Amino acid sequence: MKYTDTELEEILNKLVASTRSPRGRFSATTSYPELEKRLKSHTRRLTLIRTFSAAAAVTLLCLSVWTAYLYMQPVTIQTVSTLAETRTVCLPDGSTVTLNHYSSLSYPEKFKSDKREVKLNGEAYFEVSKNKKHPFIVQTETIDVQVLGTHFNVDAYQNNPDVKTTLLTGSVAVSNKSKSVRVILKPNEIAIYNKVEEKLTRKVLENVEDEISWRQGEFIFDDLPLQEIARELSNSFGATIHIADAALQNYRITARFRNGEDLATILSVLHNAGYFDYSQNNKQIIITAKPD
């Protein structure tokens, strides 16, 4: 690049000021070779900077494309199922889920979206890691439970007429699939969704810990109808329990089994207490009224 004498004089003035040299020792003619040398060096530095900047931009673009590619890849879904045992699962975000007997939980290998979504069939107790930017959602066949970070229990066995969500700490929002009905729970409250009536109700519990007693292998029946007890035992032991006498379905029973007793022991104790008779063929159990 060529410069006029006037431009060179201006550049020289700046150069002289920076070196504190006497003005008279410099002129455009004598100083031009040195100035041109310095200008060429400056030009090379600018070229290197521009080259590195372009390389960095290309690298950043490649990383962005690769990240987008990884994000668009289908997420691997993990499914954990239990039989006659309980099992605790650690999720990718650090949350833990304890599954009750004959339950299953499906969840992504990594939570990539804004929401942490899992699917439950059966019953599970959740301890969710707090993350306000990524709500945690439990999906069941009929309801969704949304939380930010809390401890709660969801009972969603397919053969139960109700889906129950019990809150121990924090706050959860329970809604049906269409989002037309929504209830926000406080600690020690339970939301009950009736599948037939499609109705969602909320109740306050006196003994909220009873709802998760299954984690210790306990059964607590507090003035429950026999049909509800039969369903709970069926879900826990994978058995089919049929109440032959319709009059017995709403017969209420209070009983507690705290030592992890098996199904045969529980039925025997209830029978000896005078509540009903029963017969068993493998895992097929028929409950009948005691004769007068």
Side-chain angles (χ1 to χ4, degrees), residues 143-144 163 165 173-176 181-184 190-194 197-202:
I143 68 166
D144 293 338
V163 179
T165 304
V174 182
S175 61
N176 59 357
V181 181
R182 188 170 185 264
V183 167
I184 297 178
I190 183 172
I192 303 173
Y193 180 78
N194 185 275
E197 299 178 359
E198 297 184 352
K199 183 179 180 181
L200 186 62
T201 57
R202 176 177 52 194

Side-chain angles (χ1 to χ4, degrees), residues 251 253-255 257 266-276 290:
Y251 186 81
I253 298 174
T254 297
F257 301 90
I266 293 174
L267 290 175
S268 177
V269 169
L270 294 177
H271 165 71
N272 293 333
Y275 295 129
F276 54 79
K290 281 191 172 183

Side-chain angles (χ1 to χ4, degrees), residues 144-188:
D144 293 338
V145 182
Q146 179 174 334
V147 304
L148 295 177
T150 187
H151 296 180
F152 63 100
N153 191 80
V154 179
D155 181 352
Y157 284 105
Q158 288 185 341
N159 63 331
N160 287 1
D162 298 324
V163 179
K164 300 177 181 179
T165 304
T166 306
L167 180 64
L168 284 83
T169 64
S171 177
V172 300
V174 182
S175 61
N176 59 357
K177 288 298 184 180
S178 65
K179 309 299 182 184
S180 61
V181 181
R182 188 170 185 264
V183 167
I184 297 178
L185 293 182
K186 297 178 181 179
N188 301 323

Side-chain angles (χ1 to χ4, degrees), residues 87-252:
R87 182 174 176 182
T88 298
V89 181
C90 185
L91 300 183
D93 65 336
S95 300
T96 59
V97 183
T98 303
L99 291 172
N100 201 350
H101 303 161
Y102 298 95
S103 301
S104 66
L105 182 77
S106 297
Y107 60 93
E109 190 177 39
K110 292 182 180 179
F111 291 116
K112 290 187 176 182
S113 65
D114 292 336
K115 298 177 181 179
R116 297 172 288 167
E117 296 179 319
V118 301
K119 293 183 179 180
L120 172 67
N121 179 22
E123 185 171 13
Y125 175 75
F126 294 82
E127 295 183 0
V128 177
S129 298
K130 291 184 179 180
N131 190 332
K132 293 183 178 180
K133 294 182 179 180
H134 301 280
F136 190 96
I137 299 176
V138 181
Q139 298 179 340
T140 72
E141 183 182 9
T142 53
I143 68 166
D144 293 338
V145 182
Q146 179 174 334
V147 304
L148 295 177
T150 187
H151 296 180
F152 63 100
N153 191 80
V154 179
D155 181 352
Y157 284 105
Q158 288 185 341
N159 63 331
N160 287 1
D162 298 324
V163 179
K164 300 177 181 179
T165 304
T166 306
L167 180 64
L168 284 83
T169 64
S171 177
V172 300
V174 182
S175 61
N176 59 357
K177 288 298 184 180
S178 65
K179 309 299 182 184
S180 61
V181 181
R182 188 170 185 264
V183 167
I184 297 178
L185 293 182
K186 297 178 181 179
N188 301 323
E189 290 185 340
I190 183 172
I192 303 173
Y193 180 78
N194 185 275
K195 298 177 183 178
V196 177
E197 299 178 359
E198 297 184 352
K199 183 179 180 181
L200 186 62
T201 57
R202 176 177 52 194
K203 294 181 179 180
V204 177
L205 297 174
E206 293 183 3
N207 299 306
V208 67
E209 294 291 336
D210 288 354
E211 296 296 319
I212 59 171
S213 61
W214 58 267
R215 296 176 65 204
Q216 288 75 43
E218 300 177 353
F219 293 94
I220 301 178
F221 307 134
D222 189 5
D223 196 34
L224 283 183
L226 183 56
Q227 61 181 351
E228 289 190 27
I229 294 175
R231 276 194 294 267
E232 186 169 341
L233 294 176
S234 295
N235 294 330
S236 296
F237 295 102
T240 300
I241 302 178
H242 174 66
I243 301 177
D245 190 340
L248 283 175
Q249 292 182 353
N250 293 318
Y251 186 81
R252 293 185 175 271

Side-chain angles (χ1 to χ4, degrees), residues 52-108:
F52 283 125
S53 297
V58 172
T59 302
L60 181 60
L61 177 61
C62 291
L63 288 175
S64 299
V65 172
W66 179 249
T67 301
Y69 170 78
L70 291 178
Y71 185 82
M72 295 297 293
Q73 292 302 301
V75 179
T76 301
I77 301 298
Q78 306 278 358
T79 299
V80 177
S81 301
T82 61
L83 295 175
E85 81 282 356
T86 61
R87 182 174 176 182
T88 298
V89 181
C90 185
L91 300 183
D93 65 336
S95 300
T96 59
V97 183
T98 303
L99 291 172
N100 201 350
H101 303 161
Y102 298 95
S103 301
S104 66
L105 182 77
S106 297
Y107 60 93

